[in-house]
Amino acid sequence: MKRMMIPLALTLLTLTLLTGCVVVPMAPGGSVYSPPLPPPLAFQAPPVVIVIPDTDNVYVVPDISADLFFWNGFWWRLNNGFWYRSQYTSVEL
C-alpha cells in the first residue's frame, strides 16, 4: 500500500505545482478550515534522500513511516489529504 501512495502523492504534488492551484478548504458558514498538523517526524541529522526517476529533481526520504519529499527548496508531506511544506527538517513537517 505504501508503495502505491508514493506515485500517487508525487502525481498529486506535480499536478498541484504545475497548475499553480491553491485549494483553501472552507468550513460550514464560510470560515477557513485549518487542518490539524501531522504528527512530527524526528531527525537527528538531515535525512537521506533519493531522487525519484523521471522527475524534475524530486527527492523522497526512504524507509520512514510517512511520505516525505524534497523539491524546489522545500520539504513536502502529505497527511490525511492535506499537503504541508517546510524549509526545515528541524521543525514539524
Side-chain angles (χ1 to χ4, degrees), residues 2 5 9-10 12-13 17 35-43 58-61 64-71 74-89 91-93:
K2 183 160 175 75
M5 288 300 296
L10 180 60
L12 292 174
L13 173 64
L17 295 174
L37 291 176
L41 298 173
F43 297 100
V58 177
Y59 298 85
V60 65
V61 179
I64 62 171
S65 62
D67 294 326
L68 182 61
F69 304 93
F70 185 81
W71 180 78
F74 289 97
W75 294 94
W76 296 85
R77 181 175 176 191
L78 179 63
N79 187 65
N80 290 330
F82 295 95
W83 282 101
Y84 299 84
R85 76 174 189 174
S86 175
Q87 290 181 308
Y88 310 100
T89 58
V91 295
E92 293 181 4
L93 292 173

Side-chain angles (χ1 to χ4, degrees), residues 6-44:
I6 290 175
L8 175 61
L10 180 60
T11 300
L12 292 174
L13 173 64
T14 303
L15 290 174
T16 301
L17 295 174
L18 289 176
T19 61
C21 178
V22 176
V23 177
V24 178
M26 300 297 282
S31 60
V32 175
Y33 172 72
S34 296
L37 291 176
L41 298 173
F43 297 100
Q44 297 298 323

